[in-house]
Amino acid sequence: MKATYEAVFVGSSVMPVHFDTEKCIGCHRCANACQTDILLPIDGKGKPPTVMYPGECWYCGACVMECPTGAISLSHPLMNRARFINADSLGK
Amino acid sequence: MADWPYENRSGKRAEYTCDVLVLGGGLAGCHAAVAAAEAGRRVILVEKGAVIRSGSAGTGFDHWEMACTNPGCRITPEEMTEALVSEQDHYGNRIAHYIEAREGYDRLMDLEKIGGKVRDTGDEFAGAAFRDEKTKLLYAYDYTNRYTLRVWGSTFKPALLRRLKALDVTVLDRTEATALLYADREGRRQCTGAIGMEVRTGEIRVISAKATVLCMSRPARIWLFNADTPGLCEFRPFQSIGSGHAMAWRIGAEFTMMEKSVRGEFSAAGRSFPPYGTGNNHNTWYAATMVDSRGVEIPYVDRDGRELKSVDERYRPAPGQKFFLKGGVIDEPKYEWRGPETLPFDELIRRGYRLPFYADLSRMPDAERRVIWGLMVGEEGKTKIPILKNYTDRGFDPQKHVLQSYGTGWQSAAFLDQERQLFGAPGGLMHDWDLKTNIDGLYAAGDQLYASDCAGFACATGHYAGRKAADAALQLEEVCPDPAQVENEVNRLLAPLDVRRGMDWREVNMACAKAMQNYCGGIRCDDLLHQGLDLIQSLRTEALHEVSAHNPHELMRIHEVSDILDVCELIYRACLARACSCAPLFFERSDSREEMRTQEDGFLTLSNWDGEIRTRMIPHDYAGDLVTSYTERNRDYMRSREGQV
Ligand SMILES: Cc1cc2nc3c(=O)[nH]c(=O)nc-3n(C[C@H](O)[C@H](O)[C@H](O)COP(=O)(O)OP(=O)(O)OC[C@H]3O[C@@H](n4cnc5c(N)ncnc54)[C@H](O)[C@@H]3O)c2cc1C
């Protein structure tokens, strides 16, 4: 064994995924489907994982797709929320 | 700071042996592993993420291109291949496109057998112009010639994982491949397996194999980087940065077209939006109705400028045209294959159309609207949750709302010339008709090949390379890993754990991106390229040693940066090797040596033979006659498919 590992939170201006702690059963299927491995089971089974590397999220949605209880929401950074308007408001 | 939640196995080793080793578990890698296992070989599949949703198409893809042997298609695989290659001024991959056009539909049928959804079995689109009522297949783009299918790609990766398990393939998830093992015998080099690291525990994995298939996609984060949201800075997965290119380059594999790069098209870390998330009429959104800010509809025209009156005409060839090309990499095709398009931006402004533009699905026929918003947006990669669900939750209703497009182009993007990407069929590994590289026992497929483009291409070439590697494994001997190679690699991989309070990997990635923008941007010349190469080499020799890691996850990111530096070197070498500007490769020199032009019309290849850079020119038509060359090498396969489709 070479060294002691430490889990150090690497911050970002964004937080891509949020867990509904009421719904999350802490199964960590999301963590195991996450391609970039940014969800770490720091608090152990039964608890939502920690989003340890939020800046590394690719926003693919695999965590949401794998969640059995619908506990995860994914949202784009503010700058990336494209605008939509009522079709009949155009030109008015 | 918290305790690391996984076991610490740094320095511990696990050894594996197999007949066929597949590196990268996206669409190409899964197909390679399935094909080799079906041929009876012992197979190991190594994936840095988790196979269930890994790769570009992990969460889906919506259209399967060039499925020329599907029952509705009116274009032959030969016609399609020549059209694609000629469209790219012959800097296209004839062998791989032919495999795609000829076998792609076989792969789709295989996927259906294992649980993938490829037909409108629920009759959601009964009666639509894009549906074949008998087979229930749905077509995209050219409804007359029917070579591209709309599919439910989100069902494919989980189905492939089940199939791998049923075939007893050893799947090593969370394992980054970092180096290829090799042996030199009788003047030839053979790849004998690979080394990797488990990215949660730091365990070193040494895998001996008779044949190896590279399926780790293409480089990224070369010119584009954003330290705050690095995961968003490229189009393809954050995990895929060209490790496969780097490790193959280090052992002498031959590359081509690495001098090609294009002005960036997608980077949601600032310059653009989430893919498929703005109003547009391309690819997934073809052929959405577009309107201007007054609500006036923007006309579609055919290649002759004839204004199209109906929505259906947007999906039909022009009078006198056999077929048109559309799909992932087809941007502005030549006249022969140019399909319907909205009027060019300049013409729209001249005619008084006003920004911003919007996609307005509410004006489209019901089936066309539902197939774009619901099937295409939904099954396309990164859309089911990030776009379809997210926008629906925000209240978007395609029957009521219009979605904004930003700026003047369909990408809703604004890049500078030096902000480049390996996109639109970029360079990659050179290969022969077996998808074998110049190294014995080393094969490649999917986006790791030169001039690759899409999902059907990845599946078809993956399966093909898996078959050929399975054959080769019968001939090649297993070779014990060279202890010196293993030792060197282990030391390289773990070194950052010994650095205390060092630099962050992102600092080096950013420095590298800036060096590429400054010295290898839109316009190049020898002096700039040499300076850039020196800078990249000094980042390796100086900065890389100062980067520290607290855990294996950070180690993986550092290994990525190291590979990115190798890829940069490969790109610099490729640019230096081409003396003349070359428009089809988007390669521009201020010191172009025009006298070299005729000598450079072909695939310029490049390999790094233990420090010596070797180049060759290979003619564009090296693949020879398609039917003859393919048939000679695939009689068994052809026999095995008889009566199946
Ligand atoms: C958002 C998006 C939408 C797309 N939509 C379509 C579409 O609708 N139709 C279409 O035809 N094409 C589409 N494409 C393109 C298509 O998905 C890809 O061309 C195709 O999936 C490539 O397959 P691949 O197996 O070569 O690479 P990938 O599927 O990207 O797989 C590469 C794999 O290698 C792994 N890997 C990388 N480095 C290492 C390493 N060092 N060790 C181990 N594993 C490693 C990665 O984790 C990844 O799983 C889309 C691409 C994207 C990104």
Side-chain angles (χ1 to χ4, degrees):
Chain A
M1 217 170 71
K2 196 110 168 152
T4 315
Y5 294 158
E6 288 163 352
V8 184
F9 175 75
V10 178
S12 162
S13 61
V14 297
M15 185 44 78
V17 283
H18 290 275
F19 291 85
D20 180 336
T21 47
E22 303 276 289
K23 287 189 189 159
C24 176
I25 53 169
C27 66
H28 301 160
R29 272 169 64 172
C30 52
N32 290 326
C34 175
Q35 294 311 312
T36 53
D37 215 11
I38 65 171
L39 308 174
L40 263 62
I42 296 287
D43 298 323
K45 273 260 174 240
K47 293 275 185 311
T50 303
V51 189
M52 196 55 103
Y53 308 102
E56 294 178 18
C57 181
W58 187 52
Y59 294 78
C60 71
C63 53
V64 182
M65 288 164 81
E66 293 308 309
C67 177
T69 63
I72 311 176
S73 59
L74 175 124
S75 42
H76 293 291
L78 264 182
M79 66 171 177
N80 280 350
R81 297 184 196 169
R83 180 171 157 268
F84 53 84
I85 55 173
N86 260 318
D88 49 23
S89 72
L90 287 173
K92 283 180 191 153
Chain B
M1 191 126 59
D3 289 339
W4 186 247
Y6 304 110
E7 197 186 338
N8 183 339
R9 294 183 59 77
S10 62
K12 299 234 169 70
R13 294 188 199 176
E15 281 168 16
Y16 302 82
T17 54
C18 61
D19 298 317
V20 175
L21 169 63
V22 180
L23 303 178
L27 286 178
C30 287
H31 277 84
V34 164
E38 282 175 347
R41 301 303 163 270
R42 294 167 307 149
V43 181
I44 295 179
L45 174 61
V46 171
E47 165 57 48
K48 191 176 182 178
V51 168
I52 186 154
R53 293 277 172 213
S54 67
S56 299
T59 53
F61 70 94
D62 62 357
H63 68 277
W64 184 295
E65 299 183 6
M66 318 312 170
C68 295
T69 58
N70 89 74
C73 184
R74 296 196 188 165
I75 313 295
T76 66
E78 294 77 33
E79 262 176 307
M80 180 54 75
T81 304
E82 301 302 6
L84 285 170
V85 168
S86 163
E87 166 52 30
Q88 291 165 0
D89 292 303
H90 305 284
Y91 287 96
N93 194 325
R94 272 179 90 226
I95 294 176
H97 277 313
Y98 191 58
I99 294 169
E100 170 191 21
R102 190 146 175 167
E103 297 187 8
Y105 187 66
D106 295 353
R107 300 291 74 79
L108 206 50
M109 294 299 93
D110 290 351
L111 280 163
E112 184 174 39
K113 276 192 207 122
I114 63 173
K117 183 166 155 78
V118 308
R119 296 171 213 269
D120 180 25
T121 44
D123 297 329
E124 282 176 75
F125 299 100
F130 50 83
R131 185 178 194 259
D132 180 84
E133 293 304 319
K134 201 161 119 234
T135 59
K136 305 191 181 202
L137 291 171
L138 304 185
Y139 295 97
Y141 312 142
D142 187 332
Y143 292 174
T144 301
N145 291 289
R146 304 189 155 192
Y147 56 81
T148 291
L149 291 150
R150 306 192 201 241
V151 295
W152 287 257
S154 71
T155 61
F156 292 174
K157 284 303 303 282
L160 283 163
L161 180 59
R162 287 195 299 274
R163 180 73 184 142
L164 291 165
K165 289 191 171 153
L167 287 165
D168 259 340
V169 171
T170 303
V171 176
L172 299 179
D173 273 346
R174 304 291 170 198
T175 305
E176 53 159 353
T178 63
L180 296 173
L181 293 161
Y182 65 93
D184 289 326
R185 314 147 113 202
E186 294 159 18
R188 293 197 61 87
R189 184 159 284 184
Q190 182 186 331
C191 176
T192 59
I195 306 181
M197 189 190 83
E198 212 277 359
V199 302
R200 289 175 167 178
T201 64
E203 178 182 87
I204 302 295
R205 297 184 158 173
V206 182
I207 309 163
S208 306
K210 294 177 184 162
T212 301
V213 191
L214 302 175
C215 302
M216 287 167 279
S217 188
R218 60 174 72 150
R221 275 154 51 196
I222 307 293
W223 290 266
L224 299 178
F225 190 69
N226 182 299
D228 180 44
T229 49
L232 278 177
C233 69
E234 285 271 1
F235 178 71
R236 273 176 166 65
F238 177 61
Q239 294 285 97
S240 299
I241 46 76
S243 301
H245 284 48
M247 66 185 81
W249 171 246
R250 292 197 295 266
I251 71 158
E254 195 174 37
F255 286 82
T256 191
M257 283 170 58
M258 292 306 294
E259 63 275 35
K260 175 177 177 182
S261 62
V262 300
R263 184 195 284 242
E265 293 188 18
F266 297 98
S267 173
R271 293 289 193 211
S272 64
F273 284 82
Y276 322 104
T278 50
N280 75 96
N281 62 334
H282 274 250
N283 198 309
T284 292
W285 285 76
Y286 189 79
T289 295
M290 300 296 293
V291 298
D292 80 348
S293 66
R294 303 162 304 170
V296 179
E297 197 166 318
I298 294 174
Y300 273 82
V301 290
D302 70 10
R303 63 176 181 173
D304 299 308
R306 196 176 58 99
E307 229 169 85
L308 306 179
K309 299 282 173 287
S310 69
V311 169
D312 188 72
E313 282 176 289
R314 300 173 191 170
Y315 300 98
R316 307 286 175 185
Q321 182 178 34
K322 179 155 184 203
F323 65 104
F324 64 81
L325 287 176
K326 285 224 187 261
V329 296
I330 312 290
D331 240 358
E332 285 167 22
K334 297 182 174 146
Y335 178 77
E336 190 173 355
W337 303 288
R338 193 178 305 150
E341 247 337 308
T342 39
L343 278 174
F345 179 73
D346 292 349
E347 179 60 20
L348 289 172
I349 296 306
R350 225 176 41 80
R351 294 194 192 180
Y353 285 87
R354 296 208 198 134
L355 287 171
F357 300 153
Y358 299 87
D360 186 355
L361 301 179
S362 75
R363 301 187 189 199
M364 297 190 78
D366 179 62
E368 298 290 352
R369 174 174 53 248
R370 285 189 294 116
V371 83
I372 292 178
W373 187 262
L375 195 151
M376 302 297 270
V377 176
E379 292 303 323
E380 176 59 294
K382 302 207 337 170
T383 63
K384 192 180 284 299
I385 305 300
I387 310 296
L388 186 62
K389 178 166 191 310
N390 221 310
Y391 285 40
T392 305
D393 289 351
R394 282 170 56 204
F396 178 74
D397 176 353
Q399 298 199 55
K400 266 213 314 255
H401 296 114
V402 293
L403 183 59
Q404 189 172 330
S405 166
Y406 295 79
T408 60
W410 64 270
Q411 292 105 332
S412 283
F415 287 89
L416 303 171
D417 203 24
Q418 67 270 30
E419 295 171 331
R420 306 186 75 75
Q421 240 167 348
L422 295 184
F423 207 74
L429 280 160
M430 188 68 199
H431 58 82
D432 64 12
W433 259 106
D434 285 343
L435 301 185
K436 182 182 161 295
T437 67
N438 58 321
I439 311 271
D440 289 344
L442 189 62
Y443 295 76
D447 279 344
Q448 245 203 285
L449 299 174
Y450 76 89
S452 67
D453 56 0
C454 61
F457 182 108
C459 297
T461 56
H463 190 272
Y464 189 100
R467 268 168 22 222
K468 301 298 177 187
D471 290 346
L474 294 177
Q475 313 294 328
L476 294 163
E477 275 171 45
E478 192 176 306
V479 179
C480 274
D482 175 343
Q485 287 176 28
V486 176
E487 219 49 48
N488 281 343
E489 183 62 1
V490 173
N491 291 337
R492 178 182 85 92
L493 293 179
L494 301 181
L497 289 174
D498 291 332
V499 179
R500 294 275 134 221
R501 284 188 284 280
M503 244 188 277
D504 186 300
W505 64 269
R506 295 172 296 178
E507 185 169 351
V508 187
N509 203 151
M510 192 69 229
C512 173
K514 192 160 180 182
M516 289 302 284
Q517 293 196 9
N518 283 334
Y519 297 98
C520 198
I523 298 180
R524 300 105 196 255
C525 67
D526 272 349
D527 287 346
L528 269 182
L529 291 168
H530 280 296
Q531 282 181 32
L533 183 57
D534 284 351
L535 185 50
I536 290 296
Q537 282 166 342
S538 73
L539 286 175
R540 164 171 307 292
T541 50
E542 289 157 31
L544 211 52
H545 299 293
E546 292 177 34
V547 183
S548 59
H550 298 95
N551 54 55
H553 181 92
E554 292 179 11
L555 273 183
M556 159 174 71
R557 299 287 171 240
I558 299 169
H559 303 154
E560 288 172 354
V561 176
S562 174
D563 286 344
I564 287 170
L565 291 172
D566 282 342
V567 171
C568 290
E569 177 178 341
L570 167 54
I571 291 171
Y572 274 113
R573 299 277 183 202
C575 293
L576 282 164
R578 190 173 278 280
C580 212
S581 298
C582 179
L585 298 176
F586 302 88
F587 179 72
E588 197 178 345
R589 267 182 176 274
S590 59
D591 58 354
S592 180
R593 296 206 292 278
E594 288 308 309
E595 69 280 9
M596 299 289 289
R597 184 162 296 283
T598 49
Q599 291 163 53
E600 287 198 333
D601 190 23
F603 293 110
L604 177 60
T605 76
L606 205 66
S607 60
N608 172 10
W609 210 253
D610 300 328
E612 178 206 338
I613 306 298
R614 296 184 183 173
T615 59
R616 294 200 285 163
M617 276 311 285
I618 298 181
H620 284 303
D621 59 358
Y622 79 98
D625 179 69
L626 294 173
V627 178
T628 323
S629 308
Y630 175 89
T631 309
E632 269 169 14
R633 290 166 181 84
N634 292 286
R635 288 189 207 284
D636 286 355
Y637 175 78
M638 289 162 73
R639 216 167 292 128
S640 77
R641 301 302 297 188
E642 266 165 31
Q644 280 206 30
V645 181

